[in-house]
Amino acid sequence: MSTELSKTFDPADIEQRWYAHWEENGLFRPERPDAEPFTIVNPPPNVTGSLHIGHALDNTLQDVVIRYERLRGKDALWVVGTDHAGIATQMVVERQMEARQDKRTNYSREDFVGKVWEWKEESGGTITRQLRRLGCSMDWSREQFTMDEHFSNAVLKTFVDLYNDGLIYRDKRLVNWDPKLKTAISDLEVETSDVKGSFWHFKYPLEDGVTTSEGKDHLVVATTRPETMLADMAVAVHPDDERFKSVVGKHIVLPITGRRVPIVADEHADPELGSGCVKITPGHDFNDFDVGKRAGFKPAEMLNMLDGEANVCQTADGLVPEEFIGLHRFKRDGVDGARELVVQRLKEQGYLIPHIAKTKKGEEQELDAEPRTIATPFGDRGGVVIEPWLTDQWYVDAEKLAKAPIEAVKDGTIEIVPKSWEKTFFNWMENIQPWCVSRQLWWGHRIPAWYDAEGKAYVAMTEEEAQAQAGEGVALTRDEDVLDTWFSSALWPFATLGWPDKTDLLDKHYPNDLLISGFDILFFWDARMMMQGMHLTGKAPWPRLYLHGLVRAADGAKMSKSKGNVVDPLGLIDQYGADALRFFMSAMESQGRDIKMDEKRVEGYRNFATKLWNATRFCQSNGIGASTSIAAPAATQAVNKWIIGEVVETKNALEQAMADLRFDAAANTIYHFVWDRFCDWYIELIKGNFDEETKAVAGWALDQILVMLHPFMPFITEELWSKQGGRPHYPLITASWPDPQAEVDAEAKAEIDWLIALTSAVRTAKNELGIAPGAKLEAFCPSPSSLGRKVVEENAAAIERLARLTPVNFAEASGGAAMQIAAGDDAFIVPLEGVIDIEAEKARLTKAMEASTKEAKSLEGRLSNANFVERAKPEAVEKARADYAHHTAEIERLKAALTRLG
């Protein structure tokens, strides 16, 4: 027996209740020891994180897949956990300390780490609670954390093994250095912003009376970072630049420091840019680092002029004047820094070449530098300008590790969906740089390396093992650094399953079956999982990688707090329910495209849920309850055969879409079946005919809807499933995927589709001509097809009720005003004498069409004007396009209406 539903659908009333029921009863991963496995791993969010709209998209898509595979009977495992987020978490705890007038350095390393663990236990579960609100059916019983003991052991073992394989080494190279956090950071943690700055030009004097081919005794260099000249080690010119061939191999004597530096030939110098000469500071610029190496400078010989806080320190050659030592790199808090003093001194010594600019009045004025907008790298957490800094760090030989993943994608072992991302993948992987994996933090996996007094490293799992390598009595000191969090998360597909131990879980669920990820972490996470997985386990971590786009603001702009256009997914859930948000994400996820946020669509999917709720209430009120079989019931009536066939076609289309990872196609398939075929037509067609066959078929069809819709809208479907019949031991979340064991009945499909076409045509014609929807009209069909005659004769009552045609005559119509409508191959004449004033209606339609034509022509002119499209506000252009589309459609509608009237 069904349980009566409340009159209104309230998502808040059911969501928390059902999620708690699922989790408490272990329904996210039921015992299915003999079932085929299906495994996905959730990209571990930062333990400090809160659910943002990108998380909502990423996790919705994963949940759609895992619920779908669970319904198909698989041992579906969705691994969940959080990342320890070294920098982010340490910052959170340090900020809390600062608020209490405390700081990290007041504690020992061990005590501070203990405080981080305390914070994690008290406050680190925010995002996991929020994932539950979204409906994510993860295996919480095995929730992972990248600092858990077993995971930490896996991380340390990986480091040791890679070191022993010659794939991890210590080297002096440039890194992205955050002077505020005093640590190296990854490229992902660097955000580039346009900043107003300056472009200075300086004379660098040639040594010993040397001159260029043009007779000049100096070279001109330009820079946006003049302070770095304190560590310049060369000047580069292009090898084919005739102006400077005579000075290649000669020397510059630098102003201020007096350092003698060579002039080198290198293709990095572009003859077409500026003077064609480039100052080279290998220790503070990534391009210059490479030029320096090509010029023969070893990294250990490259000069460093800044300390960890970006204050000037003495270089190895001792040539930086004392007045610069201790200055910040540039002006800070209103105090001039090294940049300003370098410019001042070069100007005083006559080496500054002024920039000549013109005022608004056309008058020339002399400036120290050319004003420019400069793309400047900032740390995403520290918020200060990143400094390329030469330090000793640990590196992974990513070039060697990248070879296996490159081949795996080329030979199809790993499929990237959409395929368009392959080119980007290959380009990055084939030009990959060494991966810096050390970070100057306290929170994280401490690097398992110990040093003797000479600086020799001993890498081992434990200090005892390192001591055994070094020998008895050798004093060892452990490396202070921790590992990059991306290093540990690269092990996520297999370390979460017990690796390096050989566990049953690992054996069954690795490789995983699919990874769903944002394209923005393709290189930082996805590619590194491929590298680590293939090297450490010998297997690709998954056969398919699905990359989705970003969720953007309604106008297509990237969401950011500074723009004030960030959308809170929890707010949308509060307003419309999790099911509506999930369906929006699924329906809008089109391969290779970003999603534009559209709250109206979310509201529309809430209305969709309400429509299903009301349709179920209607079924209940007419004695339609839960089905008793997975197979379709026996059916003799065309309308019931038709809906069974619609279920079969919907199921097939849905399965194909899911196999192709076309989430939009899958969502839209079930949407149109529910709204158009079941609610709008089937329920209307069976009204007044609730015999036992129809009740059985209707109840079965509704059950199939709930199963197929469940991956997208889990909460409302589980609620309706439970209310449709007493089946407490057969919850929807672990029910069976549809298996109708039936075929599409072609004859029944043709009949019902013909009836729907007739009804739709009549309703459209009435709307166009302003005829009341409920008005009953007589119709004539002088030459009916066999199908048309059969449908009319067998469904006269339904045609009268739905199409409001009665009677339908198989004869010629008498003369007079009439409209024509068509259904399939049949044409119907519907007399209009006495129904409407034909001439007045023609005049009304003509006037309306003229108005729309005039407006469409005006809009077309505006939209063809490049000035309007390029300079008007985007919302104004978008509105003009929408209005143009509306009026052109209106013209076609009005033309059709006039044609009907003859």
Side-chain angles (χ1 to χ4, degrees), residues 522-538:
L522 169 60
F523 307 124
F524 301 104
W525 189 50
D526 307 345
R528 287 167 176 168
M529 284 188 287
M530 295 186 204
M531 291 191 284
Q532 297 286 45
M534 297 190 76
H535 181 76
L536 297 170
T537 72

Side-chain angles (χ1 to χ4, degrees), residues 24 52 102 258 343 443 573 799:
E24 289 165 7
H52 57 61
D102 199 358
V343 172
W443 171 246
I573 291 173
I799 291 172

Side-chain angles (χ1 to χ4, degrees), residues 761-902:
V762 172
R763 289 174 176 176
T764 298
K766 282 183 172 181
N767 181 58
E768 289 172 351
L769 299 175
I771 301 172
K776 290 187 178 181
L777 304 174
E778 187 175 10
F780 293 84
C781 183
S783 303
S785 65
S786 57
L787 173 62
R789 181 182 292 276
K790 183 175 188 293
V791 175
V792 170
E793 290 175 347
E794 293 181 1
N795 297 275
I799 291 172
E800 179 179 356
R801 179 166 52 84
L802 298 175
R804 310 300 285 171
L805 293 180
T806 184
V808 176
N809 306 291
F810 296 129
E812 294 285 351
S814 56
M819 67 176 180
Q820 295 189 19
I821 56 174
D825 296 329
D826 295 291
F828 290 80
I829 308 299
V830 180
L832 295 178
E833 290 291 343
V835 178
I836 58 172
D837 183 329
I838 300 296
E839 293 308 315
E841 184 61 19
K842 281 185 177 180
R844 183 188 72 80
L845 293 170
T846 301
K847 184 178 180 181
M849 189 168 71
E850 288 172 350
S852 276
T853 301
K854 181 180 179 181
E855 188 63 27
K857 188 174 181 180
S858 172
L859 288 163
E860 185 178 22
R862 291 171 69 191
L863 290 168
S864 61
N865 184 337
N867 284 333
F868 170 72
V869 174
E870 293 170 7
R871 297 180 183 178
K873 291 183 177 179
E875 53 267 32
V877 177
E878 192 65 31
K879 185 178 187 305
R881 286 174 175 152
D883 289 346
Y884 177 72
H886 164 75
H887 284 291
T888 51
E890 190 69 359
I891 291 166
E892 293 303 314
R893 185 186 74 80
L894 294 166
K895 278 182 181 177
L898 283 166
T899 302
R900 290 186 193 281
L901 295 177

Side-chain angles (χ1 to χ4, degrees), residues 368-569:
D368 284 351
E370 175 189 347
R372 279 202 180 180
T373 298
I374 301 165
T376 306
F378 288 82
D380 66 348
R381 300 190 185 280
V384 299
V385 177
I386 292 304
E387 191 67 43
W389 202 47
L390 195 63
T391 63
D392 291 308
Q393 303 283 350
W394 287 95
Y395 290 89
V396 170
D397 189 342
E399 183 180 359
K400 289 181 181 175
L401 287 179
K403 293 184 185 304
I406 289 171
E407 287 307 309
V409 174
K410 284 183 177 178
D411 67 21
T413 301
I414 296 176
E415 175 192 10
I416 297 178
V417 181
K419 192 176 178 64
S420 55
W421 279 107
E422 283 189 4
K423 183 178 179 181
T424 306
F425 172 81
F426 289 133
N427 184 57
W428 190 77
M429 293 288 274
E430 288 167 355
N431 296 282
I432 200 166
Q433 297 298 307
W435 172 19
C436 176
V437 294
S438 44
R439 298 291 181 268
Q440 289 64 54
L441 303 169
W442 281 3
W443 171 246
H445 300 105
R446 194 168 177 182
I447 290 175
W450 286 260
Y451 303 96
D452 62 20
E454 304 300 319
K456 182 180 179 182
Y458 302 90
V459 174
M461 288 291 290
T462 64
E463 185 171 2
E464 290 74 21
E465 292 177 14
Q467 190 68 65
Q469 292 178 27
E472 189 176 344
V474 176
L476 296 178
T477 303
R478 186 165 185 177
D479 197 308
E480 292 288 330
D481 293 351
V482 299
L483 286 163
D484 175 18
T485 52
W486 294 107
F487 184 88
S488 50
S489 61
L491 313 182
W492 196 247
F494 45 94
T496 53
L497 302 174
W499 185 92
D501 296 335
K502 297 184 183 302
T503 65
D504 292 340
L505 199 66
L506 180 68
D507 185 56
K508 185 173 185 180
H509 291 278
Y510 186 81
N512 309 158
D513 291 271
L514 171 69
L515 180 74
I516 294 177
S517 162
F519 72 83
D520 51 336
I521 55 173
L522 169 60
F523 307 124
F524 301 104
W525 189 50
D526 307 345
R528 287 167 176 168
M529 284 188 287
M530 295 186 204
M531 291 191 284
Q532 297 286 45
M534 297 190 76
H535 181 76
L536 297 170
T537 72
K539 300 175 183 176
W542 8 258
R544 301 181 89 189
L545 167 61
Y546 181 85
L547 298 171
H548 60 74
L550 302 176
V551 183
R552 295 184 175 272
D555 62 359
K558 190 171 182 179
M559 291 187 187
S560 71
K561 291 179 181 177
S562 61
K563 293 180 181 177
N565 61 358
V566 173
V567 175
D568 176 17

Side-chain angles (χ1 to χ4, degrees), residues 2 12 61 65 154 180 186 224 235 313 316 387 389 443 543 675 765 824 863 902:
S2 61
L61 301 181
V65 170
K180 182 176 180 180
S186 72
T224 59
V235 172
C313 63
E387 191 67 43
W389 202 47
W443 171 246
W675 191 294
L863 290 168

